[in-house]
Each structure stands twice: as structure tokens, then as C-alpha cells.
Amino acid sequence: MEDFSSRVKRFRELCGLTQLEVARKLDVSPAAVGAWENNRSRPRLDKLEKLAELLGTTAYDLLNGNEPMRARPSSVLVPLLGTTHMGEFSDEDECDRMVEVPASVVEAHPGGFCVHADGECMNNRYPSDSVLFIDPHMQPFDGCAVLAETEQYQSIVRKYSKGSTALMLSPDSHSDAFDDIIVRADDAPVKLKGVVVWYQAEKDVR
């Protein structure tokens, strides 16, 4: 059965476009287009709609082919993969729960996942006991909140900013008790696991 990646390739070839031409028209890398056609990732919602327009089809047809249109659900169950920290650190726990996330959020950020976050160092943005939805494919930008792994801490949420010589992961808290994490070129690298794009207080999660 034809899947999303096969449909993208078929429509592209029908339009007589190369992967490089599609990449240029959508302002993405050729590697991104290759990943779409090899079923390694899917475009964000804004790029998906532009891709469909370029290929003379619709986003729905690219995603679903000839399957009949169904009523759009208001929410989608997303796996809660584990815990992370927004303050003091302890060993991360594994989870096997599912969390209801608005369908529009999941559609805009395919491949996203949830983590349970606890702590006070990001309480200007998120309650101390929250579920965060992470987009692992989104490029971080100055001021966004990211889920990261450092040499010292397995999993942490911080505000992201990058200068010419250093990466800074900063708290965004009512308290001044938390320090910046500054990573320079000769330090151990930081693994960015994704950008926080949605949250909900844990007590409201069903």
C-alpha cells in the first residue's frame, strides 16, 4: 500500500521536479526532501501545505491517499516517554502513559512526543508540574524552550540562546536560585532533543 513517502515521490516525479528543485522552492535542504521520501520524517504543517500546493495536490491526499475524509478529532493520544527536570535534578523515570494533545498541535508537529517536567526553574513559562509536548525536528531559535541533554544532566528544560562562541541554557524563573548553563566550543557537546511547542499542567492531563 502506498504511504506518505511514496506519494511525495510519485507526485514530485509526475511534476517533473527533482528533490533539489523541491528543496529550493520550499526553502528547505535537499536532505529534508530525501528524508520525506525515505519515510524518515515528515514536513511541518506549513511546509506540508506548501509541498502539496507545489505538487498540485492537497495535504490531506499526501497524508492519506485515497482514504475517505474522516471527521477531524479534537485531540490525539500521544505517548508520555518519561520525565525531565526544570529545577533540582534526580534520576529520570520512565513512563508508559498516553496524554491528550490538541490534534492541531500534533498535525503541526508530526513525530512529537510528551515528557513530564517538574521543577521551578522555568515557572515563568510552565507550572512546576507540567506535561510538555516536544517537536524533535524543529530547529531551535533564541528564546525558545528546549529539552536538552548535557554531560552532567541527562535531561533538562531550559531557555535556549546561541552566541558566536557559546550556547547558553538559561532558567526562566521567578527565582534567582538557578544558574545558566554555558557551553563553549571546548566543552562537552549538548544534545538538543527538541523544542517545547505546547504544555499543560499535570493536574489537567487526563
Side-chain angles (χ1 to χ4, degrees), residues 4-6 8 19 28-43 137:
F4 172 80
S5 59
S6 300
V8 171
Q19 288 186 353
V28 299
S29 69
V33 179
W36 301 343
E37 294 191 6
N38 287 312
N39 208 27
R40 295 196 306 271
S41 69
R42 291 189 180 184
H137 308 298

Side-chain angles (χ1 to χ4, degrees), residues 23-172:
R24 287 175 175 169
K25 290 178 182 294
L26 296 184
D27 193 25
V28 299
S29 69
V33 179
W36 301 343
E37 294 191 6
N38 287 312
N39 208 27
R40 295 196 306 271
S41 69
R42 291 189 180 184
R44 300 200 312 267
L45 183 60
D46 59 333
K47 296 297 184 184
L48 176 64
E49 292 174 345
K50 290 178 181 178
L51 175 64
E53 182 179 357
L54 175 65
L55 300 182
T57 184
T58 65
Y60 181 88
D61 284 343
L62 280 180
L63 291 171
N64 300 282
N66 295 322
E67 293 182 20
M69 183 78 75
R70 296 179 176 87
R72 182 178 177 182
S74 60
S75 63
V76 177
L77 288 174
V78 174
L80 184 71
L81 297 187
T83 63
T84 187
H85 303 284
M86 300 187 297
E88 298 301 322
F89 302 97
S90 60
D91 291 337
E92 288 77 15
D93 298 319
E94 294 184 356
C95 300
D96 58 359
R97 290 172 43 204
M98 302 292 284
V99 177
E100 282 190 49
V101 177
S104 58
V105 174
V106 177
E107 289 174 5
H109 304 277
F113 60 89
C114 287
V115 293
H116 175 226
D118 200 9
E120 301 290 337
C121 82
M122 293 294 288
N123 61 12
N124 273 332
R125 300 189 185 203
Y126 314 120
S128 60
D129 188 17
S130 295
V131 167
L132 309 180
F133 184 79
I134 311 296
D135 184 338
H137 308 298
M138 189 172 181
Q139 193 69 26
F141 54 91
D142 281 354
C144 74
V146 296
L147 177 68
E149 292 181 2
T150 70
E151 184 178 40
Q152 186 176 3
Y153 306 121
Q154 181 178 347
S155 182
I156 187 173
V157 176
R158 285 289 194 277
K159 183 175 69 174
Y160 172 95
S161 59
K162 187 174 183 180
S164 58
T165 61
L167 169 68
M168 184 178 295
L169 301 175
S170 305
D172 190 356

